[in-house]
Amino acid sequence: MKKAFSAHHVLADLLMDLQMAMQDCGVWECDIPSKEAVASTEPFCVDSMSFEQWLRFVMIERFKMMLASGETLPSRCHISPMAEEAFKGKPQSKVRSLVTCLNRIDQHLSGAL
């Protein structure tokens, strides 16, 4: 009998998928935000950085810290709608995979997977 993967292992795989989708979409290579920008209290740090900066340097990094420490993962997540809005001007064929990755993260953390 196979042992089921933990929620942490699944999230780690989903984050790798997201990184690859961001690279394919051409949004992985972005400027490192300042400490002040990262300290923003606005949702997605919309007042201080681009959405791709927030994904790479805030969301992914926070999840990596949670995974490394074994911290309890959030029980709700709704990032994919913001991605759809933020990437409206990008080629939809590339953005679709990125939004799909974020939707899978949303579903996983919200218990829908």
Side-chain angles (χ1 to χ4, degrees), residues 12-37:
D13 287 345
L14 291 171
L15 292 175
M16 285 301 303
D17 291 345
L18 175 60
Q19 178 177 337
M20 289 186 291
M22 288 179 71
Q23 289 169 331
D24 289 346
C25 191
V27 297
W28 181 256
E29 296 300 324
C30 54
D31 293 334
I32 298 171
S34 67
K35 288 182 181 179
E36 294 79 16

Side-chain angles (χ1 to χ4, degrees), residues 2-101:
K2 288 184 181 177
K3 184 177 179 183
F5 284 105
S6 74
H8 284 67
H9 287 108
V10 172
L11 181 59
D13 287 345
L14 291 171
L15 292 175
M16 285 301 303
D17 291 345
L18 175 60
Q19 178 177 337
M20 289 186 291
M22 288 179 71
Q23 289 169 331
D24 289 346
C25 191
V27 297
W28 181 256
E29 296 300 324
C30 54
D31 293 334
I32 298 171
S34 67
K35 288 182 181 179
E36 294 79 16
V38 173
S40 169
T41 58
E42 292 294 316
F44 307 106
C45 299
V46 295
D47 62 333
S48 61
M49 67 181 76
S50 67
F51 185 67
E52 51 263 32
Q53 286 176 306
W54 180 83
L55 281 175
R56 180 172 179 184
F57 297 108
V58 178
M59 187 200 84
I60 290 174
E61 289 305 312
R62 284 184 186 162
F63 280 146
K64 283 181 178 179
M65 287 188 292
M66 293 172 92
L67 293 173
S69 67
E71 194 175 322
T72 302
L73 300 175
S75 60
R76 291 183 53 216
C77 190
H78 301 287
I79 300 166
S80 59
M82 180 63 183
E84 289 173 356
E85 184 64 30
F87 296 127
K88 273 186 178 173
K90 301 263 185 219
Q92 289 305 299
S93 59
K94 298 225 179 232
V95 171
R96 193 173 306 117
S97 66
L98 197 158
V99 171
T100 297
C101 287

